[in-house]
Amino acid sequence: SRELKALLSVFDKSGIEQFGKSLADAGYELISTGGTHRSLADAGVPVTQVSDVTGSPEILDGRVKTLHPVIHGGLLARRDLPAHMVELEQHGIGAIDVVVVNLYPFVETISKAGVTLDDALENIDIGGPTMLRAAAKNFPSVAVVVDPSDYSWVADALSGPGLDAQQRRGLAAKAFQHVAVYDAAVAGYLSNDPASEEEMPVQVTIGLTRVASLRYGENPHQRGALYGGLARATQLHGRELSFNNLTDADAAWRTVSDYGDPSVCVIKHANPCGLASRDDVAEAYQLAYEGDPISAFGGIVGFNRNVTAAAAQAMDPVFYEVVVAPGYDDDALEILRRKRNLRILTVDPVAGSPGSVDYDVRPLSGGVLVQTPDVVEEYPDAWTTATERAPNRSELADLAFAWKSVKHIKSNAIAFVKDRTLVGMGAGQPNRVVSVHLSQRAAGEKAAGCVLASDAFFPFPDNIDLAAEAGITAIVQPGGSIRDDEVIAAANQAGIAMVFTGVRHFRH
């Protein structure tokens, strides 16, 4: 019988010495490269350099090590085809039975501040994916291991009864997925070219790695898991996060992240029902809560600054599902942790992969819609005043606040704002008049003196009439309706200042 061989070449050396020792004890001859060879040899594991097996030195600063017929012939030869085995013997090539590979840290590299194109290109692995694909293609004969968490059980199997067909296929699938996610990261980085004139690429590959399994999806009969996204978040306390918790926590974080001033929002069913900006986050929280205290029950709270003890104390009487923030003061955490089931998340605002494209992906039956995020630089001082009266400085500040808020409210979105506080909103209605009515009802007496933001233009002046009845003093909207003149006339008649942004912010 022939000698068993295992090829090991890993960037992440976690557990590789013990795995290599287990393979050697199971009777495998180990072949390795560069740093992996040093790690194994230093641990006293018998191992042979790939260059000694191929008869060819590593060249081009190590760019070419395993790209050789002796390696890939040993990987791709089918053991069930006698002609293949005869050909290996004729060329003096030994079959390779196990491949252990993980790849250069491309994503980690492009996530670093100041990374250059040369840095990124040097961290695109070539030999590793090639070996993984070759081994996975021939998985009935070659066991391919890409994940260090699999080392222990694979070693046990290879030391005992061997891997069965289902286990081999699972390892091969994981290898192909690993390479696919890796290639997607490279493609995303190279596609993010500021000089490109193409609005959207012809092909989009999105590679996702599961971060967490969920008990179920949106409803108990649906399966769910977290891939990417709020993967930047760390859970500090509380029960397991659900699908809906994560959806709402993401909405909370997106909303408060849009504001430069200290801001707090309360989210219910992915919509901000409370939102406020103040210098003090405890005051901002209290105002956000008071925006709709009934809806706040069971909601999600988002902060764009560290949570203080005063803010945590203000939250204490209310039942919330999740709180998400960039950080927490020690005494604030102590207060929040008294609630056994409250999920406490911290998010690194600067984490992620700045070199890749952040797509907004929406599922369709049999496909997906893909768009770039709704991010555009807007300057309130540059907005067009459409009415006889221009907004004063106080109104303009509230209009700017309100305009950001409607980006995060489901269309048709209307926001009533006073003193950088959301006091009423309407979301997801088939027509805009109903959203104005809902905003007025939520605001109640607070509506008088508010400004109003509309995520899209007003198709009819009836919206303005209702806003005037509520006591609205100024309006921000995109403009662009064929009835703009009628809408402007209604605003002038009511003494309402109105500005056009020229930008729409639908969120379906």
Side-chain angles (χ1 to χ4, degrees):
S1 63
R2 65 179 181 80
E3 188 172 19
L4 299 170
K5 294 182 186 294
L7 173 58
L8 297 81
S9 180
V10 296
F11 181 86
D12 178 3
K13 306 296 191 300
S14 303
I16 195 62
E17 295 93 345
Q18 182 57 48
F19 191 37
K21 184 177 186 303
S22 297
L23 292 174
D25 290 345
Y28 287 84
E29 177 190 350
L30 305 191
I31 306 166
S32 192
T33 62
T36 308
H37 181 276
R38 285 193 298 273
S39 294
L40 293 169
D42 290 346
V45 180
V47 59
T48 302
Q49 280 278 12
V50 164
S51 56
D52 293 334
V53 175
T54 63
S56 298
E58 295 183 8
I59 62 172
L60 305 179
D61 298 321
R63 285 191 171 203
V64 180
K65 299 188 286 282
T66 58
L67 298 171
H68 194 284
V70 167
I71 299 301
H72 288 278
L75 293 176
L76 289 166
R78 287 179 54 176
R79 313 305 195 257
D80 60 335
L81 293 181
H84 278 199
M85 302 310 291
V86 168
E87 195 168 353
L88 287 187
E89 189 174 354
Q90 288 174 343
H91 293 287
I93 297 173
I96 298 173
D97 306 282
V98 177
V99 167
V100 186
V101 170
N102 56 58
L103 307 177
Y104 293 167
F106 181 79
V107 172
E108 291 85 346
T109 298
I110 63 172
S111 299
K112 295 176 182 175
V115 64
T116 66
L117 178 61
D118 282 346
D119 293 333
L121 295 179
E122 283 304 309
N123 278 277
I124 298 176
D125 204 325
I126 301 301
T130 306
M131 286 189 289
L132 287 175
R133 289 174 59 83
K137 174 185 172 73
N138 200 22
F139 74 83
S141 301
V142 183
V144 54
V145 187
V146 71
D147 185 352
S149 69
D150 291 325
Y151 289 171
S152 179
W153 73 265
V154 170
D156 290 343
L158 294 178
S159 299
L163 294 163
D164 62 33
Q166 184 177 8
Q167 290 171 326
R168 288 174 174 273
R169 180 172 179 150
L171 289 169
K174 182 178 279 192
F176 274 117
Q177 287 282 15
H178 185 71
V179 174
V181 170
Y182 191 87
D183 286 344
V186 175
Y189 173 80
L190 295 177
S191 297
N192 190 19
D193 181 3
S196 174
E197 297 180 359
E198 188 175 17
E199 293 187 6
M200 291 291 287
V202 175
Q203 294 180 318
V204 173
T205 305
I206 299 173
L208 301 174
T209 299
R210 188 180 69 194
V211 175
S213 296
L214 305 176
R215 288 177 59 200
Y216 52 80
E218 201 164 7
N219 297 290
H221 61 275
Q222 296 170 271
R223 290 185 294 178
L226 172 64
Y227 296 81
L230 269 183
R232 294 183 300 168
T234 300
Q235 185 169 354
L236 304 179
H237 178 77
R239 291 187 301 180
E240 179 185 9
L241 287 156
S242 72
F243 186 99
N244 295 327
N245 291 155
L246 286 162
T247 299
D248 287 340
D250 184 63
W253 182 247
R254 285 176 179 269
T255 301
V256 293
S257 294
D258 222 6
Y259 289 86
D261 294 332
S263 301
V264 180
C265 72
V266 180
I267 295 288
K268 198 66 174 291
H269 297 296
N271 281 304
C273 62
L275 175 63
S277 290
R278 286 295 185 279
D279 292 337
D280 176 69
V281 292
E283 183 183 359
Y285 161 74
Q286 191 63 39
L287 291 168
Y289 166 74
E290 291 172 358
D292 190 346
I294 295 175
S295 297
F297 180 84
I300 279 74
V301 187
F303 291 75
N304 69 354
R305 296 290 195 280
N306 281 11
V307 179
T308 62
Q313 195 65 54
M315 293 170 61
D316 193 58
V318 186
F319 167 66
Y320 290 115
E321 294 276 3
V322 182
V323 57
V324 56
Y328 302 83
D329 293 351
D330 290 342
D331 44 2
L333 265 181
E334 183 179 347
I335 294 167
L336 293 173
R337 281 177 166 151
R338 294 173 190 163
K339 294 176 179 282
R340 184 164 58 94
N341 295 326
L342 176 65
R343 300 152 176 96
I344 303 173
L345 303 181
T346 180
V347 179
D348 182 354
V350 299
S353 300
S356 60
V357 181
D358 182 17
Y359 288 121
D360 182 1
V361 181
R362 311 283 181 92
L364 294 178
S365 299
V368 294
L369 286 170
V370 180
Q371 63 179 354
T372 56
D374 182 8
V375 177
V376 58
E377 291 291 336
E378 297 183 81
Y379 303 97
D381 288 336
W383 289 342
T384 302
T385 300
T387 49
E388 295 169 358
R389 183 176 80 81
N392 59 41
R393 297 308 299 177
S394 175
E395 288 173 328
L396 188 61
D398 277 349
L399 290 171
F401 180 97
W403 185 238
K404 285 186 177 181
S405 74
V406 293
K407 282 177 57 179
H408 303 282
I409 299 171
K410 298 297 180 69
S411 301
N412 289 312
I414 295 291
F416 281 20
V417 166
K418 184 188 295 182
D419 195 16
R420 296 186 300 161
T421 302
L422 181 68
V423 298
M425 70 85 156
Q429 300 304 309
N431 69 73
R432 200 160 293 277
V433 175
V434 175
S435 288
V436 176
H437 173 72
L438 291 173
S439 299
Q440 179 186 19
R441 188 176 72 176
E445 295 179 356
K446 295 179 182 178
C450 279
V451 306
L452 178 154
S454 173
D455 63 345
F457 63 64
F458 288 117
F460 300 101
D462 52 358
N463 295 277
I464 306 301
D465 297 337
L466 188 56
E469 290 176 15
I472 295 297
T473 67
I475 291 173
V476 58
Q477 58 131 322
S481 168
I482 60 173
R483 292 185 175 84
D484 272 350
D485 289 344
E486 298 175 40
V487 171
I488 293 168
N492 282 328
Q493 185 174 354
I496 294 174
M498 185 161 60
V499 294
F500 288 174
T501 65
V503 177
R504 187 182 75 187
H505 285 301
F506 270 150
R507 183 167 180 79
H508 277 69

